[in-house]
Amino acid sequence: MSASFASALDAAREAAAAQHYPQGALYVVATPIGNLADITLRALHVLQMADTVACEDTRHTQALLRAYGIDKGSAQCLAVHQHNEAEAAQNVVLRLQQGQRVAYVSDAGTPGVSDPGARLVAAVQAAGLRAVPLPGASSVTTALSVAGAVAHGSEHGGFVFAGFLPTKNAERATAIAQQLAPEPRCVVLLEAPHRIGELAQALAVLGERPVTLARELTKQFEEVTTQPAHALQAWLEGSPQRSRGEFVVLLHPVAVTTDDGESLRVLRLLVQELPLKTAVRLAADITGAPRNQLYNTALAWKREDGAGDEPGDSDA
């Protein structure tokens, strides 16, 4: 154990021990996403108290617990990950029915968001048992807090969590064109370092739309930058370090035109007669309105009308 956490364990017992922690309950515990100090006192107390710690990776979690001075034997750690979650959930349910307190942690952050845990919680609730949340670190909310990308006080406020996009190029391009481009709200994506270059290249079709890349959050080499979508690949290639670490990618809200101006009138007429890509290009040339803004507006119209995107529309 790091000596710096000895007082934290004492503080956790003093601050959290007086609360009620029912037996036969699953405690869903958020853990740090990089910086070990980002652990809550209540999380430390529950991890000490738990009869079983269910976790995405037992070796990773045992190392984390040892860093805090919490000793759990191999029999007290149970692997629950994406490949065995349904089967392992029944093991957890059995332990809960025996009156155990089970804490569940993913490798980092809040379980059940982009990490395993949702099926486990669903199985526990289906068995009539209780799941208790212990909030804490999350890469999603951490990145959102410093990106300035969530619009408030408008019809397009809030954000959409999309997680990981498909890994195949064609499927990823389709998701961007049909789901992300017309979405006016902030969109949150996650990406691994070995695929961030491919994602940046695919997002270039969004043109000037601001995109925030947040890498190595809470760690020593944390970096957060906001670039136009078309410039992401060049920024990544500016330094070998920039493609390392896990990424949170935030597409900023789209400025959707809602007035009855000349650009919308022209666009509406052209869209009725021409393919979307051609209509957008001509409307931008005629009126001087931003092409990306017109493109996203036209896509929104098509979605409202129940029509799908046309082949090649993502090239606008």
Side-chain angles (χ1 to χ4, degrees):
M1 173 181 65
S2 171
S4 59
F5 289 113
S7 58
L9 290 181
D10 293 336
R13 283 188 289 268
E14 183 176 347
Q19 300 174 26
H20 178 55
Y21 299 91
Q23 293 180 305
L26 175 70
Y27 295 85
V28 183
V29 183
T31 54
I33 60 175
N35 192 317
L36 286 178
D38 293 335
I39 187 79
T40 69
L41 295 179
R42 196 154 68 107
L44 288 175
H45 181 68
V46 166
L47 290 171
Q48 291 180 87
M49 179 179 58
D51 301 296
T52 297
V53 177
C55 46
E56 192 174 357
D57 185 322
T58 56
R59 291 171 298 180
H60 175 89
T61 298
Q62 284 181 323
L64 178 72
L65 295 176
R66 285 195 296 270
Y68 295 127
I70 300 173
D71 184 22
K72 297 290 182 184
S74 58
Q76 292 179 281
C77 290
L78 176 66
V80 181
H81 47 72
Q82 63 176 336
H83 301 296
N84 77 340
E85 192 171 359
E87 179 182 353
Q90 297 310 309
N91 193 332
V92 171
V93 167
L94 178 61
R95 296 185 185 217
L96 295 177
Q97 290 172 336
Q98 294 171 347
Q100 288 193 23
R101 296 182 180 94
V102 178
Y104 177 68
V105 299
S106 61
D107 284 349
T110 302
V113 180
S114 62
D115 297 327
R119 294 176 71 181
L120 171 60
V121 171
V124 168
Q125 293 176 338
L129 299 165
R130 182 176 176 186
V132 180
L134 272 72
S138 164
S139 63
V140 173
T141 53
T142 299
L144 284 168
S145 70
V146 294
V150 179
H152 291 284
S154 75
E155 61 178 316
H156 300 308
F159 66 92
V160 176
F161 178 69
F164 290 92
L165 291 183
T167 58
K168 294 183 179 179
N169 291 339
E171 294 177 2
R172 185 193 302 115
T174 298
I176 291 172
Q178 296 185 358
Q179 300 171 24
L180 305 189
E183 173 56 62
R185 294 168 292 179
C186 172
V187 180
V188 182
L189 304 173
L190 303 177
E191 192 53 274
H194 63 282
R195 288 197 299 265
I196 189 62
E198 295 175 359
L199 176 61
Q201 184 177 6
L203 290 175
V205 299
L206 301 181
E208 294 294 330
R209 185 168 180 175
V211 178
T212 294
L213 297 182
R215 55 175 291 272
E216 294 285 79
L217 285 170
T218 77
K219 300 178 183 179
Q220 181 179 359
F221 299 107
E222 172 183 279
E223 193 167 13
V224 179
T225 184
T226 300
Q227 305 284 333
H230 66 79
L232 292 175
Q233 189 173 14
W235 183 85
L236 288 169
E237 294 172 351
S239 169
Q241 299 293 332
R242 291 177 177 173
S243 293
R244 297 179 180 176
E246 301 298 319
F247 283 81
V248 182
V249 181
L250 305 171
L251 311 186
H252 287 234
V254 172
V256 178
T257 303
T258 57
D259 60 30
D260 295 323
E262 180 67 8
S263 62
L264 288 189
R265 188 184 70 82
V266 172
L267 179 63
R268 177 69 78 177
L269 292 172
L270 292 173
V271 162
Q272 293 173 358
E273 303 295 335
L274 299 170
L276 186 144
K277 181 177 65 174
T278 304
V280 167
R281 184 178 68 250
L282 290 175
D285 291 343
I286 293 169
T287 66
R291 183 178 297 187
N292 280 354
Q293 180 173 300
L294 294 175
Y295 175 66
N296 285 300
T297 300
L299 281 179
W301 287 345
K302 291 177 75 67
R303 292 184 72 185
E304 291 172 0
D305 293 340
D309 296 328
E310 300 175 11
D313 283 351
S314 61
D315 295 332

